[in-house]
Amino acid sequence: MEIVRVPVLSDNYAWLIHDAGRTVALDPGEAAPVAAAAAARGWTIDQVWLTHWHPDHVGGAAALKAQGASVAGPAAEAGKIDGLDTLLAEGDTIAVGDAVATIWSVPGHTAGHIAFHLAERATIFTGDTLFAMGCGRLFEGTAAQMHANMRRFAGLPGDTRVYCGHEYTLSNARFAAAAEPENEAIAERLADVIAMREQGEPTIPTTIALERATNPFLRSVDAEELAERRAAKDAFKG
C-alpha cells in the first residue's frame, strides 16, 4: 500500500491511498492537486473517502466524482454532503485494493465524524479528530465524546501510523509545551517540529506511541481535563 500526502488549500492534507491497482482520495479539499498527484503516478482515482462534512475536506469530491470516482462518507452527515454513494457507520468496512478499512464513529469535531482504520496495515486516517499533538475543536460535540475518542486511539498499537487532515503540529506543540512544561518528550518534540517546519518538511504522519508521549489531549485523564485543555488551546496565543 502506498500513501501520498497532497497539500491542499492553506494547511490541509488530502491523502491518496493506492493498493493493488486501485486508488482512493481521502478528504480532497480541492480536486485539482489531488487529481494531478494521482495522474503523475499513473493512478486513476476510483473512490473518494470522506471523514466529515466540512468544506475543506469535501470540496473536491464532486469534481472527482464527475471524473468517475464513487464517494463514501459518514451516514450521519449524509444531509450535509452531496453525492454520497456509500454511507458509512461504526463497524462498516470499505476496501481499496486488498486493504480493508473499518469505520470508527468519532464524534466531537462534527456530530457524524468517522475515521478509517486499516488494522492490517497499522494505519488510521483520523480527519480532524486526532492531530499530531492535538485534537479537533469541539464544534458539534462534547469533551466527553472527544475524550472517548482519545482513549480509543490510545488503545491502538504504538506503531500505528496516524494520518490527519491538517499541518497544525507546530502550534499544537507550542501549546503542549505550555500545558505540560515538565514533559521532556514534549520539549524534545517541539524542537524537532520547529526544525522540520523551518526546512519546509511535513510533520505527518505521526504514530500512536508518539502521541501517547506528547499529545496533551490524548494524555488527558478525563473529559474535564480535556475540556479545560481544549478551551485553553482555543485561546492560546503562543
Side-chain angles (χ1 to χ4, degrees):
M1 184 175 74
E2 296 179 66
I3 300 174
V4 175
R5 179 190 310 100
V6 184
V8 298
L9 304 172
S10 61
D11 55 26
N12 281 71
Y13 288 137
W15 301 98
L16 291 174
I17 313 164
H18 182 80
D19 190 77
R22 312 296 284 182
T23 307
V24 163
L26 187 138
D27 282 0
E30 54 183 333
V34 177
R41 293 163 174 80
W43 299 346
T44 298
I45 297 173
D46 307 292
Q47 300 178 68
V48 173
W49 294 355
L50 304 174
T51 62
H52 65 294
W53 68 267
H54 284 167
D56 60 323
H57 290 255
V58 307
L64 295 175
K65 180 172 180 171
Q67 296 171 19
S70 63
V71 181
E77 297 184 356
K80 295 183 176 182
I81 305 173
D82 292 334
L84 287 181
D85 300 297
T86 302
L87 304 181
L88 300 171
E90 172 71 34
D92 289 342
T93 59
I94 191 168
V96 50
D98 298 325
V100 178
T102 300
I103 302 307
W104 288 17
S105 174
V106 286
H109 182 66
T110 65
H113 201 301
I114 60 174
F116 294 81
H117 180 216
L118 291 85
E120 293 185 356
R121 310 302 176 98
T123 296
I124 191 164
F125 292 89
T126 59
D128 284 1
T129 50
L130 177 63
F131 290 122
M133 306 188 79
C135 78
R137 287 177 179 262
L138 300 175
F139 288 129
E140 297 179 2
T142 66
Q145 288 175 319
M146 190 61 81
H147 183 256
N149 297 338
M150 295 298 109
R151 293 298 89 220
R152 192 173 185 186
F153 291 133
L156 288 168
D159 64 351
T160 302
R161 294 178 301 277
V162 178
Y163 295 83
C164 60
H166 290 270
E167 182 56 69
Y168 286 165
T169 314
L170 182 55
S171 62
N172 287 344
R174 287 174 172 151
F175 172 76
E180 296 189 27
E182 305 303 317
N183 186 324
E184 293 183 4
I186 288 176
E188 292 173 4
R189 191 174 181 191
L190 172 58
D192 290 343
V193 169
I194 290 171
M196 293 171 74
R197 296 308 293 156
E198 285 178 348
Q199 296 298 315
E201 298 176 5
T203 63
I204 311 299
T206 179
T207 67
I208 291 296
L210 194 53
E211 296 311 304
R212 287 182 195 144
T214 63
N215 187 322
F217 299 96
L218 200 74
R219 294 167 55 80
S220 296
V221 297
D222 53 27
E224 182 178 5
E225 183 174 51
L226 186 144
E228 291 171 353
R229 288 180 168 184
R230 185 63 260 176
K233 176 63 169 66
D234 291 348
F236 187 66
K237 303 299 184 183

